[in-house]
Amino acid sequence: MAPVPSLASTVQQRLADALSAALPEAGSADPLLRRSDRADFQANGILALAKRLKGNPRELAAQVAASVPADDVLREIEVSGPGFLNITVSDRAITETLSARAADDRLGVPLADGSGTTVIDYAQPNVAKEMHVGHLRSAVIGDAMVRILEFTGEKVVRRHHIGDWGTQFGMLIQFLVEHPHELDHEDEDTVSGEEAMSNLGRLYKASRALFDSDPEFKERARRRVVDLQSGDQQTLAYWQRFVDESKIYFYSVFDKLGMEIHDPDVVGESGYNHMLDETCRILEESGVAVRSEGALCVFFDDVKGPDGKPVPLIVRKSNGGYGYAATDLSAIRDRVQNLGADSLIYVVDARQSLHFKMVFETARRAGWLNDRVKAVQLAFGTVLGKDGKPFKTREGETVRLVDLLDEAIERASAVVREKAQDLSEEEIAERGTQVGIGAVKYADLSTSAARDYKFDLDQMVSLNGDTSVYLQYAYARIQSILRKAGDAKPRAHAEVGLAPSERALGLHIDRFGEAVDEAASGYEPHKLAAYLYQLASLYTTFYSECPVLKADTPARVENRLFLCDLTARTLQQGMALLGIRTPARL
């Protein structure tokens, strides 16, 4: 089905045509339409136009208003103030536009013009290490952006750049060589994420203790690093066991978060090892990188240390080893040249901004990024505790991500149990998971990514305020009404007049496509979250002011059921784009 133009775009076009007809000398002027609390829309572009044409803005506004043809869309145009136009659309136009949206699986939301291929780098845990609260935002924000961009028609390639390489593996592999049963499982067919992480944690602690206390083991571990980096097959096989064990654990955490992760999407640091030499050679031969004190470096005019001396991006160390820069630059080459990316998005902690600024600029100088191919760091802030400091346990330790998610589910289950009237214990547990995980995700996604936010579970699972639970309950309430409707069916009746809260709700539903577009084009999922919260709030006002099943005529009952149903579908689709479930009963 063809996309449905929003009322805002229809009104914009009518006014632009009227401007051209009334003032041909104005050319194709923009009426500058916006939402208004005085009417449905306000156009204030005539003020700037009058200044340019040296005319009286009120008179010009009156000319434009008189040039708008009478039709079913515009109910009233009034000149206001120094030359604004206040525009009210007809009830019929609202209902007919919503009816067209309801007839489409995509709610009339168009696919974006000129969509291409975007590679999103997100959710980057480290092999053999526990995921903690610091891993939450990259996973949640990245997953939402994947969903939003795919909905707009973009081809999205997921990349999980896991930390799976480095000198620490010498210690781990050597310990496993000498204690070969440390990663064995009780039952190979049913290995839980908790068991896998427990194995890895135990092995890591034991190998670290031995490394620190036994000089001979330390020497054997260092030799093992050389074997790993030179591609020794036995050493690589042991290394692969750590990667596989870690994936069991990672996937269990991502599954709890309701995120799909597929093996081909996981391309860790090791995935670019074969490219590092060539990346360095290209950078050096093109003059982008130069030798400095034995290291291969890229210098920048605007990056200096506290002593005023330039701080370079070190691509290859003086000892011949490669740092993160060589890997990240090789990843850019791969993503642009082999995956055909037009856009690269890195969902990475804001504290790494300088590193990525230098990496992107280096890639531009090398020609891998240009006017056609862009790279963006979707930088995110820190998760804070209630005290406003970085979130830690009472003992000052980093908070395990699994513990945090389990506690959210526990709190949410208590809220669901308190409100549940006809749910079994199994259903309460299922809803508790959906509400708890949704609460954690929404708290993150409703905050601008660049800002820090406080992790407050009491607030997150509250039924009041800007929380996912508030939105989920609005959806469940609508489903309850639809179940009780009996023979009355949701049906649009364009001839039925709308109450003020129905109009406000209808106009907001019509804005869904704009909200999706804003979230996609600016990589700002919080704008979609804000839209959905306002949708639930407007629905709550409508519900309190407009009887649905007891409306005064059958046509009005059906029309209000239609508004309920379309609100629910919009909530469900919007929440799904944020990666949040909407249970039909709560």
Side-chain angles (χ1 to χ4, degrees):
M1 185 174 159
V4 179
S6 68
L7 284 166
S9 65
T10 302
V11 172
Q12 168 91 4
Q13 190 58 54
R14 300 279 159 92
L15 286 178
D17 292 345
L19 264 170
S20 299
L23 306 164
E25 66 274 30
S28 55
D30 186 348
L32 296 179
L33 195 72
R34 61 183 183 82
R35 303 279 156 183
S36 170
D37 51 6
R38 304 262 175 99
D40 295 334
F41 302 99
Q42 185 176 79
N44 53 22
I46 292 168
L47 296 178
L49 190 59
K51 198 172 183 182
R52 179 154 66 85
L53 299 177
K54 298 185 171 52
N56 180 311
R58 271 190 74 89
E59 287 175 12
L60 290 181
Q63 277 179 260
V64 173
S67 300
V68 177
D71 60 22
D72 289 344
V73 175
L74 302 178
R75 189 171 84 193
E76 186 181 0
I77 300 183
E78 149 190 284
V79 178
S80 165
F84 302 125
L85 289 177
N86 286 340
I87 298 125
T88 304
V89 297
S90 68
D91 291 356
R92 173 177 285 278
I94 294 173
T95 303
E96 287 181 346
T97 299
L98 295 185
S99 183
R101 293 199 178 288
D104 180 35
D105 288 343
R106 291 177 53 84
L107 302 171
V109 177
L111 296 169
D113 293 334
S115 49
T117 298
T118 295
V119 176
I120 301 190
D121 187 326
Y122 69 109
Q124 310 103 343
N126 293 310
V127 165
K129 288 187 180 172
E130 185 115 39
M131 289 177 73
H132 54 77
V133 67
H135 291 110
L136 178 66
R137 299 205 73 184
S138 178
V140 169
I141 295 167
D143 183 54
M145 281 315 310
V146 167
R147 293 166 187 266
I148 291 167
L149 287 171
E150 283 186 336
F151 185 68
T152 67
E154 188 77 0
K155 179 188 174 187
V156 178
V157 181
R158 301 158 172 81
R159 276 293 174 266
H160 305 292
H161 190 87
I162 63 172
D164 66 353
W165 203 249
T167 54
Q168 76 276 16
F169 283 100
M171 173 184 87
L172 295 169
I173 292 168
Q174 188 58 35
F175 190 86
L176 189 58
V177 168
E178 296 173 16
H179 304 82
H181 299 295
E182 282 299 304
L183 290 184
D184 292 353
H185 304 124
E186 291 173 23
D187 179 352
E188 290 294 337
D189 295 328
T190 57
V191 186
S192 69
E194 201 64 33
E195 184 192 341
M197 193 60 239
S198 173
N199 280 349
L200 290 164
R202 189 178 62 250
L203 192 151
Y204 190 92
K205 281 177 187 163
S207 63
R208 168 55 68 185
L210 195 58
F211 187 86
D212 290 341
S213 64
D214 183 341
E216 290 182 1
F217 175 78
K218 183 182 279 191
E219 184 51 40
R220 292 197 297 278
R222 285 181 170 154
R223 284 203 300 274
R224 188 62 67 174
V225 175
V226 177
D227 292 341
L228 178 66
Q229 292 177 338
S230 62
D232 173 67
Q233 288 304 306
Q234 185 204 30
T235 303
L236 282 171
Y238 277 101
W239 167 80
Q240 189 64 48
R241 286 191 67 188
F242 282 99
V243 175
D244 293 343
E245 191 79 3
S246 298
K247 279 185 180 179
I248 295 170
Y249 163 67
F250 296 156
Y251 289 7
S252 74
V253 178
F254 291 135
D255 186 55
K256 189 167 280 196
L257 275 167
M259 286 171 53
E260 274 191 28
I261 302 277
H262 303 288
D263 265 351
D265 305 333
V266 181
V267 183
E269 294 169 3
S270 64
Y272 306 99
N273 284 349
H274 66 288
M275 299 177 70
L276 301 180
D277 277 348
E278 189 181 18
T279 296
C280 290
R281 182 180 59 73
I282 293 169
L283 291 173
E284 189 169 14
E285 286 180 0
S286 62
V288 173
V290 295
R291 302 280 178 117
S292 176
E293 296 176 23
L296 188 63
C297 302
V298 182
F299 288 91
F300 309 88
D301 293 337
D302 58 345
V303 183
K304 294 185 169 60
D307 57 1
K309 291 183 179 174
V311 176
L313 182 71
I314 299 174
V315 186
R316 189 173 56 223
K317 301 170 191 171
S318 56
N319 66 1
Y322 298 103
Y324 292 124
T327 307
D328 288 335
L329 287 162
S330 298
I332 289 176
R333 280 179 58 214
D334 176 62
R335 293 166 184 183
V336 173
Q337 295 167 0
N338 298 330
L339 300 178
D342 306 294
S343 303
L344 307 176
I345 304 175
Y346 291 77
V347 189
V348 183
D349 192 312
R351 287 170 291 196
Q352 296 188 45
S353 293
L354 178 60
H355 168 78
F356 279 100
K357 179 185 171 188
M358 294 161 81
V359 165
F360 295 162
E361 175 56 27
T362 300
R364 267 189 288 275
R365 291 180 188 178
W368 304 324
L369 298 177
N370 48 46
D371 292 341
R372 192 189 62 78
V373 185
K374 65 174 180 177
V376 176
Q377 183 192 357
L378 206 177
F380 56 82
T382 305
V383 181
L384 306 175
K386 288 186 189 179
D387 57 3
K389 295 175 181 171
F391 199 20
K392 303 276 187 189
T393 64
R394 286 200 183 106
E395 296 74 36
E397 299 290 316
T398 303
V399 178
R400 296 170 74 225
L401 184 50
V402 169
D403 291 345
L404 187 134
L405 298 178
D406 285 345
E407 191 182 348
I409 291 168
E410 196 179 310
R411 298 276 190 95
S413 298
V415 171
V416 173
R417 180 175 282 105
E418 194 180 310
K419 295 280 288 185
Q421 291 163 356
D422 55 354
L423 297 181
S424 67
E425 277 302 308
E426 191 181 334
E427 287 172 319
I428 288 171
E430 183 194 1
R431 305 296 194 279
T433 299
Q434 293 176 353
V435 172
I437 297 299
V440 170
K441 287 184 173 183
Y442 186 83
D444 192 318
L445 295 169
S446 58
T447 307
S448 167
R451 287 175 51 199
D452 300 342
Y453 80 97
K454 287 185 184 177
F455 197 93
D456 181 347
L457 272 177
D458 292 328
Q459 173 55 31
M460 287 179 188
V461 299
S462 169
L463 292 167
N464 303 311
D466 188 4
T467 67
S468 67
V469 195
Y470 177 69
L471 275 65
Q472 287 168 320
Y473 265 98
Y475 178 82
R477 175 186 281 162
I478 295 171
Q479 297 308 314
S480 173
I481 291 170
L482 295 173
R483 284 193 296 272
K484 290 175 187 168
D487 294 336
K489 296 282 185 282
R491 193 173 289 126
H493 290 274
E495 74 282 0
V496 171
L498 301 176
S501 58
E502 290 177 286
R503 287 179 58 84
L505 178 60
L507 284 165
H508 191 70
I509 293 171
D510 187 49
R511 275 201 59 229
F512 179 56
E514 292 171 29
V516 171
D517 180 58
E518 278 186 32
S521 57
Y523 309 135
E524 297 175 300
H526 71 278
K527 291 191 171 175
L528 178 57
Y531 167 86
L532 295 170
Y533 172 61
Q534 196 178 352
L535 178 62
S537 302
L538 288 167
Y539 179 77
T540 301
T541 304
F542 155 77
Y543 178 76
S544 65
E545 292 180 2
C546 298
V548 177
L549 300 178
K550 294 184 178 176
D552 54 3
T553 67
R556 186 157 271 130
V557 170
E558 290 183 343
N559 207 53
R560 286 180 178 171
L561 281 171
F562 164 74
L563 269 177
C564 287
D565 186 49
L566 190 54
T567 299
R569 285 177 59 194
T570 306
L571 271 173
Q572 185 177 44
Q573 178 64 76
M575 295 285 266
L577 294 179
L578 297 179
I580 298 173
R581 303 287 294 277
T582 39
R585 292 177 192 262
L586 275 176

